[in-house]
Amino acid sequence: MSDTMNIEDYLAQGGMLTAPGNVPARYRGELLRLMSSFVDSELAASAGFADAINLAPGIKERIAASRITLEKADHAGRVLRVMAEFGTDAARYQTSHDWAARVPRDADLGTARRPGDMRLSVLHYPIAGWTDAVVMNVLQGLATGVQMTELTRVSYGPLAEVFREIAPREARHAELGLEGLEQIAQTETGREEARAAIAYWQPRVAAGFGLTHSARYDTLARFGLRHSPNEALLGRWEALVSEHLAALGL
């Protein structure tokens, strides 16, 4: 980085930071917030899919749910190791919340986060049955894929590298969900159940993209922690959802 270039200009132009020691204070705060949101969401998702394992109708589906449960916990651990380099007590952090805790099914959290818990709001809702679990995994898995286009380009190099390692496995989680949903959609009963689950989960997953025209986006973009605004990411997700559900007759 040039001695005469402002660090925000450097980051906005694609510059990368590589160690905690050269990270400015406000950037550090935003970076830790981003990592906390990812770790909390992965731990909560893992806890939710752990319960879904025993809902699986067959061995193949049980293996898929087990894989998602395991790998999401692993992804949380990988990012938590980066947080530990900034002084986070990783062992204490892992037990800071009940990751399996859920709100009542009819609750409406919108985009709100619970105090101290940075998981996406959608991960506070309970799963109700196998079809519900598959639909939730498909919709949230596609959303994660869209978000990964941002996360793999964050301006903190060690974290971007971790996200690039994680991204293909997260994509596979969505693929497993689509394979399961294809099986469910083979019957009219399955399609009816799937449509009901889609109606429940789609607005809740959409809320995870945050507010449109967010004032925080400009700050994050200056730091190289975001590249596309919430409304653009939401639009990409909506297009993917429409494409996949139409292909399945849903």
Side-chain angles (χ1 to χ4, degrees):
M1 180 174 61
S2 166
D3 291 339
T4 60
M5 181 181 287
N6 179 282
I7 192 165
E8 287 190 14
D9 293 337
Y10 170 74
L11 293 169
Q13 294 174 25
M16 301 288 287
L17 301 178
T18 58
N22 58 16
V23 168
R26 187 170 182 193
Y27 178 99
R28 174 194 177 99
E30 294 293 353
L31 182 65
L32 284 168
R33 179 185 174 92
L34 182 155
M35 289 192 285
S36 292
S37 178
F38 183 84
V39 170
D40 292 8
S41 295
E42 291 290 280
L43 288 173
S46 177
F49 280 103
D51 288 339
I53 294 171
N54 288 325
L55 301 174
I59 293 174
K60 181 180 178 181
E61 294 87 353
R62 180 178 286 269
I63 291 171
S66 299
R67 175 175 177 175
I68 292 170
T69 299
L70 170 65
E71 291 183 351
K72 285 191 174 295
D74 177 63
H75 297 170
R78 294 186 189 203
V79 175
L80 190 53
R81 284 194 288 273
V82 179
M83 292 178 67
E85 295 174 1
F86 287 84
T88 298
D89 184 335
R92 183 176 180 183
Y93 192 99
Q94 295 172 55
T95 59
S96 58
H97 298 287
D98 178 1
W99 304 111
R102 296 296 188 266
V103 298
R105 178 95 172 163
D106 59 356
D108 184 6
L109 300 178
T111 61
R113 307 288 179 116
R114 309 283 277 188
D117 187 333
M118 293 293 291
R119 78 178 80 173
L120 294 171
S121 59
V122 67
L123 295 166
H124 283 290
Y125 297 102
I127 289 171
W130 178 250
T131 297
D132 200 60
V134 171
V135 167
M136 190 275 183
N137 180 53
V138 167
L139 296 178
Q140 184 56 42
L142 293 173
T144 300
V146 170
Q147 296 286 4
M148 277 290 164
T149 65
E150 294 281 284
L151 296 174
T152 55
R153 296 188 290 157
V154 295
S155 55
Y156 187 66
L159 181 60
E161 183 178 349
V162 169
F163 282 137
R164 285 192 289 269
E165 293 170 354
I166 286 171
R169 298 207 298 182
E170 289 288 346
R172 181 57 181 153
H173 295 172
E175 291 170 1
L176 290 170
L178 286 165
E179 291 171 9
L181 188 55
E182 183 178 9
Q183 291 299 313
I184 289 167
Q186 298 285 324
T187 66
E188 182 55 37
T189 299
R191 288 191 293 273
E192 289 178 4
E193 291 179 355
R195 290 184 187 112
I198 290 164
Y200 179 82
W201 288 110
Q202 193 162 359
R204 289 165 172 79
V205 174
F209 286 93
L211 300 173
T212 59
H213 308 294
S214 169
R216 290 191 67 248
Y217 171 74
D218 291 337
T219 298
L220 296 173
R222 287 198 306 272
F223 287 152
L225 296 174
R226 289 288 304 275
H227 299 85
S228 298
N230 294 343
E231 54 271 21
L233 299 179
L234 176 61
R236 292 176 204 166
W237 173 74
E238 289 174 334
L240 282 172
V241 169
S242 295
E243 176 186 346
H244 285 293
L245 294 185
L248 296 172
L250 297 171

